[in-house]
Amino acid sequence: MPLSRRTVVALALASAVGVLAFGWPLLVDAAAALGADAPLVLALVLAGVLAVLFVGLGAGDLDVKAVAVLGLLTAVGAVLRPLAAGTAGVETVFFLLVLAARVFGPGFGFVLGATTLFTSALLTGGVGPWLPFQMLGAAWVGLGAGLLPRRPRGAAELALLAGYAVVAALAFGLAMNLSFWPVQLGLGTQLSFVAGDPAAANLHRFLLFSLATSLAWDLGRAVTTALGVLLLGRPVLATLRRAAARAAFAPGGRS
């Protein structure tokens, strides 16, 4: 399902909002409370996801069949996630997101990442100030998977997706850390955010904080996601591609 120019613009704008949301510790005073800002971020995230979805529908990148598949995969991902919910770094949802975005493309992957995390949070009661950032992070995971080179198939494709899964899982952990680092750690430690310091100095402290606190969990997410892709990738990709063929998705999303 190729992307139109309008959908590309919508994706770029939604991602730009996400970059600002994640980068707030490097852009504003640490006194800005994450909890107070979260409802606004959530509203912006939802607006961005809906914009991508509706622009895709209007431009013909998505049709009602694609939306039906989106709903089904969102439900499956929402059910899979509580099976581990990040315990010891184990994640059971990202491998499906990577594989689905591989088949259906970056716009689909962007929306699927956000809707999966949102639905999962509603099912498990995991709604909190972290949710909009999780949605953005997962949306980018799906976007990146959809943008990978299309040519590789077979073992080469699985190796490509597994390698991407490792990088994306580590990046997701870093992004989540950045969203709450000043609030969680507070002020006055060697790894704390320092208001007024150069962004490079704060970024250095942030990287040290991430290495000290979450690297093991992030590696667990990376390994389990990559293993999920390698072990289940072939049958899941075949199933998704068969579903896409039977739904008769045509270029531009029209059938």
Side-chain angles (χ1 to χ4, degrees):
M1 299 188 299
L3 295 179
S4 68
R5 183 175 300 177
R6 284 184 292 173
T7 304
V8 170
V9 171
L11 283 169
L13 291 176
S15 294
V17 171
V19 170
L20 293 176
F22 274 111
W24 74 268
L26 303 177
L27 301 174
V28 301
D29 194 284
L34 175 62
D37 293 341
L40 174 60
V41 176
L42 179 58
L44 292 174
V45 172
L46 291 175
V49 171
L50 289 174
V52 173
L53 181 59
F54 289 137
V55 169
L57 287 169
D61 296 336
L62 299 170
D63 61 9
V64 292
K65 296 176 183 177
V67 174
V69 173
L70 174 67
L72 176 61
L73 291 176
T74 295
V76 172
V79 171
L80 284 176
R81 189 163 183 253
L83 297 180
T87 303
V90 176
E91 288 282 2
T92 52
V93 65
F94 283 102
F95 87 92
L96 178 62
L97 172 59
V98 169
L99 296 175
R102 171 66 174 175
V103 173
F104 296 109
F108 187 97
F110 183 91
V111 177
L112 178 63
T115 55
T116 298
L117 271 292
F118 183 72
T119 306
S120 172
L122 294 181
L123 290 176
T124 61
V127 178
W130 54 83
L131 177 58
F133 300 99
Q134 289 179 333
M135 291 171 61
L136 275 168
W140 283 334
V141 171
L143 177 65
L147 290 172
L148 292 173
R150 309 304 298 176
R151 184 177 296 275
R153 285 293 187 270
E157 181 178 35
L158 292 181
L160 173 67
L161 294 175
Y164 171 78
V166 170
V167 174
L170 294 174
F172 178 86
L174 282 174
M176 288 305 302
N177 287 345
L178 183 59
S179 69
F180 62 79
W181 158 53
V183 174
Q184 183 189 54
L185 193 59
L187 304 176
T189 77
Q190 292 183 340
L191 302 181
S192 294
F193 175 87
V194 178
D197 260 19
N202 277 320
L203 183 60
H204 176 70
R205 282 188 287 269
F206 163 71
L207 292 176
L208 293 177
F209 165 78
S210 295
L211 288 173
T213 60
S214 68
L215 180 60
W217 291 73
D218 295 338
L219 286 174
R221 181 189 304 109
V223 170
T224 54
T225 303
L227 284 177
V229 169
L230 292 173
L231 295 175
L232 301 174
R234 193 179 302 275
V236 172
L237 285 171
T239 300
L240 293 175
R241 284 171 173 147
R242 187 161 52 247
R246 290 182 177 178
F249 293 130
R254 293 175 290 275
S255 58

